[in-house]
Amino acid sequence: MTFPNDFMWGGATAANQVEGAWNVGGKGHSTQDHIAQGSREVIRKYTENIEEGIIYPSHEAVDFYHHYKEDIAMFAEMGFKIYRMSIAWTRIFPNGDDAEPNKEGIEFYRSVFQELKKYGIEPLVTLSHYEMPYNLAIKYDGWADRKCIDFYLKYSETVFREYKGLVKYWLTFNEINSLSLSTGGYFNGGIMSIAGGFGPMEYPNETAEHISRRYTALHHQFIASAKAVNLAHEIDSNYQVGCMIAGLTSYPYTPNPDDMLAAQKQKREQLFFAGDIHVKGEYPYYMKRYFKENGINITMESGDADVLKSGTVDFFTFSYYSTGCISTDPEAEKTGGNLIFGVKNPYLDTSDWGWQIDPKGLRYFLNEFYDRYRLPIIITENGLGADDTLEADGSVHDPYRIEYMRQHFQQMEEAIKDGVDLIGYTAWGCIDIVSLSTGEMKKRYGMIYVDKDEKGNGSLKRYRKDSFYWYKKVIESNGEDLS
């Protein structure tokens, strides 16, 4: 048996993609609540006000808020050892800068954690998963303002104290390195001055000043993360706090030295940069040239360097869906995905949403990270988005998802044999959720089908897909039976 006996199999979701009940129980508006539905062809747009006739996917999502007991029971039936989820900051502090927390929101998550504990499922909780109080975005320009560090820490301290004994594993930010991309400005940073009326996936003609604001916001998140790590350890010595990186892995398109150098540069600036700060506690040397050449100026206060050095993480996590190639040839064919993966790899198959499928890239990725950081690793997002069909008898046949997972599990086995300390895996969207990149329901990741269509119609009834039973078998055998 390759997987360790205590390997943590499970699934993952995010509050804004699963919970719904967007204005129930004292919850305030989040930045996600102002993003309209899009599609593969239409980019999602931000609206200042909630407008009639527009679908905002986060408002109902799949209504985990009212179905959490049913959903957790199904997770337990699959055999989950761990469930990665996020807390909606606006359920705890509706405006972000409130004097007191919202008790109803605190009690909701307490009930969720108690339900997980009933089944022996360990929660892995993300504090900030691509959303923040909308009030902070409007009032302070989001994370571009250093004041957000204090608001985040007040929120973090509240949940660290409230859920002591119920939660052990925490993540500070989801895919924090997404702020190194223009698309991260609103999604991850709530930076309204960059949005300028454009959708969260569309930032044309960024200026040096805009880029500086993104990296300033990212610096503020690094400081907030480090302080949260220290705060968590002070409150409970049993707390384990990790980071979460978007797995933007690419290969050189050719052995042309220019492609080799471009691939190395991309990997450092968009992948290792954030990981190095979280694990090594300092800005890496290679970013100095990048900042200089791009006119990026970050205001660092006295003591910031000490904070980063003291607040390094206990474990490492990342998302992994796809890979791309880096080419210096402007004519090379690009590939799709929720983030920019680069040039199309001619050796890989492609999903219906344009993402290239690369199981061996996961093994490569695991070895890259473990060699660099030597910390325990959890794969916190991985899965296949597809247009599943609910049959008349309530069955859903998704052999493509099973095959995708099987191939990735085989490469996880190989990585463990290589010596990587891989301790867990949480399949993304273990239950169908609304897509981040398009806001669609038909782009389904889950092993549990939710009856809901693009227009919000449906019973919200849950159905077990074929992959549900297959994953249950995998977990029962601790990864030994992948047939």
Side-chain angles (χ1 to χ4, degrees):
M1 186 175 292
T2 303
F3 290 93
N5 290 330
D6 56 354
F7 190 81
M8 295 185 289
W9 297 95
T13 63
N16 65 83
Q17 293 169 268
V18 71
E19 270 184 19
W22 75 291
N23 57 358
V24 172
K27 181 184 176 297
H29 289 210
S30 79
T31 48
Q32 282 285 354
D33 294 332
H34 286 256
I35 303 178
Q37 186 182 72
S39 68
R40 276 174 281 190
E41 296 78 29
V42 179
I43 293 174
R44 300 185 69 184
K45 294 290 185 181
Y46 153 79
T47 68
E48 182 178 355
N49 299 306
I50 304 302
E51 299 178 11
E52 290 290 330
I54 290 180
I55 296 175
Y56 298 89
S58 68
H59 289 194
E60 183 183 54
V62 295
D63 199 24
F64 177 81
Y65 187 87
H66 295 109
H67 291 258
Y68 72 89
K69 290 187 177 182
E70 173 189 357
D71 293 342
I72 290 171
M74 294 181 82
F75 298 160
E77 184 183 342
M78 270 191 282
F80 281 17
K81 313 297 181 188
I82 190 168
Y83 172 50
R84 183 203 170 199
M85 55 174 283
S86 69
I87 292 175
W89 186 346
T90 50
R91 284 207 192 279
I92 309 301
F93 288 95
N95 299 297
D97 55 3
D98 310 81
E100 298 295 331
N102 171 35
K103 292 183 179 179
E104 197 168 347
I106 288 173
E107 292 311 310
F108 167 70
Y109 289 111
R110 192 187 314 281
S111 297
V112 171
F113 297 142
Q114 288 171 340
E115 195 72 12
L116 289 166
K117 187 174 183 178
K118 183 173 82 174
Y119 292 102
I121 300 172
E122 191 78 53
L124 168 58
V125 180
T126 309
L127 291 166
S128 180
H129 192 129
Y130 281 170
E131 65 177 336
M132 70 183 303
Y134 185 62
N135 176 61
L136 298 186
I138 295 296
K139 195 172 177 180
Y140 301 96
D141 204 20
W143 280 98
D145 193 317
R146 195 178 176 98
K147 292 187 182 73
C148 282
I149 296 174
D150 291 334
F151 299 137
Y152 173 87
L153 291 173
K154 183 175 182 179
Y155 154 60
S156 299
E157 180 175 6
T158 300
V159 296
F160 287 157
R161 293 192 185 281
E162 289 287 346
Y163 306 130
K164 185 176 180 179
L166 288 171
V167 178
K168 178 181 178 181
Y169 297 99
W170 300 89
L171 299 175
T172 53
F173 290 91
N174 177 69
E175 295 186 332
I176 193 170
N177 56 324
S178 64
L179 264 172
S180 66
L181 304 172
S182 61
T183 50
Y186 183 83
F187 267 136
N188 200 8
I191 308 171
M192 302 303 299
S193 60
I194 294 178
F198 293 99
M201 304 300 290
E202 182 183 47
Y203 287 91
N205 306 318
E206 263 198 317
T207 66
E209 192 256 335
H210 286 156
I211 298 171
S212 288
R213 287 189 80 74
R214 273 201 289 113
Y215 278 92
T216 295
L218 182 54
H219 176 69
H220 294 158
Q221 289 190 352
F222 286 141
I223 297 298
S225 175
K227 287 188 172 184
V229 169
N230 289 330
L231 183 60
H233 291 159
E234 289 170 12
I235 291 171
D236 189 340
S237 60
N238 291 318
Y239 277 157
Q240 294 287 295
V241 189
C243 61
M244 201 287 203
I245 305 296
L248 304 175
T249 289
S250 297
Y251 311 119
Y253 188 57
T254 72
N256 181 331
D258 289 338
D259 285 357
M260 297 290 287
L261 285 169
Q264 182 185 59
K265 184 173 184 289
Q266 184 264 358
K267 191 179 296 184
R268 284 174 165 178
E269 293 167 0
Q270 294 183 4
L271 188 65
F272 291 140
F273 166 45
D276 286 355
I277 292 179
H278 278 307
V279 179
K280 299 179 180 180
E282 61 186 19
Y283 273 74
Y285 73 92
Y286 51 81
M287 291 304 290
K288 292 179 181 178
R289 178 175 180 176
Y290 178 78
F291 287 166
K292 182 178 180 180
E293 290 181 349
N294 288 276
I296 297 171
N297 295 299
I298 299 172
T299 302
M300 296 197 191
E301 293 190 358
S302 175
D304 280 2
D306 292 336
V307 169
L308 293 177
K309 184 63 73 174
S310 68
T312 55
V313 296
D314 303 309
F315 64 99
F316 200 95
T317 83
F318 60 83
S319 59
Y320 179 87
Y321 296 98
S322 182
T323 58
C325 294
I326 299 299
S327 173
T328 51
D329 178 3
E331 302 300 318
E333 183 183 359
K334 299 294 190 294
T335 186
N338 66 334
L339 296 169
I340 300 168
F341 283 109
V343 170
K344 190 172 183 179
N345 188 330
Y347 298 98
L348 299 177
D349 293 329
T350 303
S351 77
D352 292 341
W353 266 262
W355 299 25
Q356 297 207 275
I357 299 172
D358 184 12
K360 290 182 179 177
L362 178 56
R363 177 185 177 187
Y364 169 80
F365 199 57
L366 284 163
N367 274 281
E368 285 273 280
F369 270 134
Y370 190 64
D371 180 55
R372 194 176 186 96
Y373 301 129
R374 299 302 172 93
L375 286 178
I377 294 175
I378 301 175
I379 301 167
T380 43
E381 288 187 27
N382 173 248
L384 178 69
D387 193 352
D388 300 328
T389 301
L390 179 65
E391 305 292 347
D393 63 357
S395 61
V396 179
H397 306 304
D398 56 344
Y400 38 83
R401 180 168 294 106
I402 292 171
E403 187 57 29
Y404 177 96
M405 295 176 75
R406 177 189 291 116
Q407 292 181 17
H408 284 77
F409 292 170
Q410 288 169 342
Q411 295 306 314
M412 285 159 53
E413 286 187 296
E414 292 299 323
I416 291 171
K417 290 176 183 176
D418 292 337
V420 174
D421 186 14
L422 180 62
I423 64 171
Y425 171 91
T426 57
W428 177 245
C430 46
I431 182 171
D432 288 347
I433 60 179
V434 294
S435 166
L436 172 76
S437 57
T438 65
E440 295 174 297
M441 269 303 301
K442 66 182 177 181
K443 185 183 180 185
R444 298 175 183 272
Y445 282 89
M447 291 158 281
I448 300 169
Y449 185 96
V450 179
D451 178 29
K452 181 178 176 179
D453 66 18
E454 297 304 279
K455 296 181 180 179
N457 301 314
S459 66
L460 293 175
K461 186 176 178 181
R462 276 67 165 146
Y463 297 87
R464 294 162 181 80
K465 303 180 188 180
D466 289 352
S467 56
F468 178 102
Y469 300 105
W470 180 82
Y471 193 38
K472 179 180 180 180
K473 179 180 65 174
V474 170
I475 296 174
E476 284 176 347
S477 67
N478 196 29
E480 190 171 359
D481 185 356
L482 300 179
S483 62

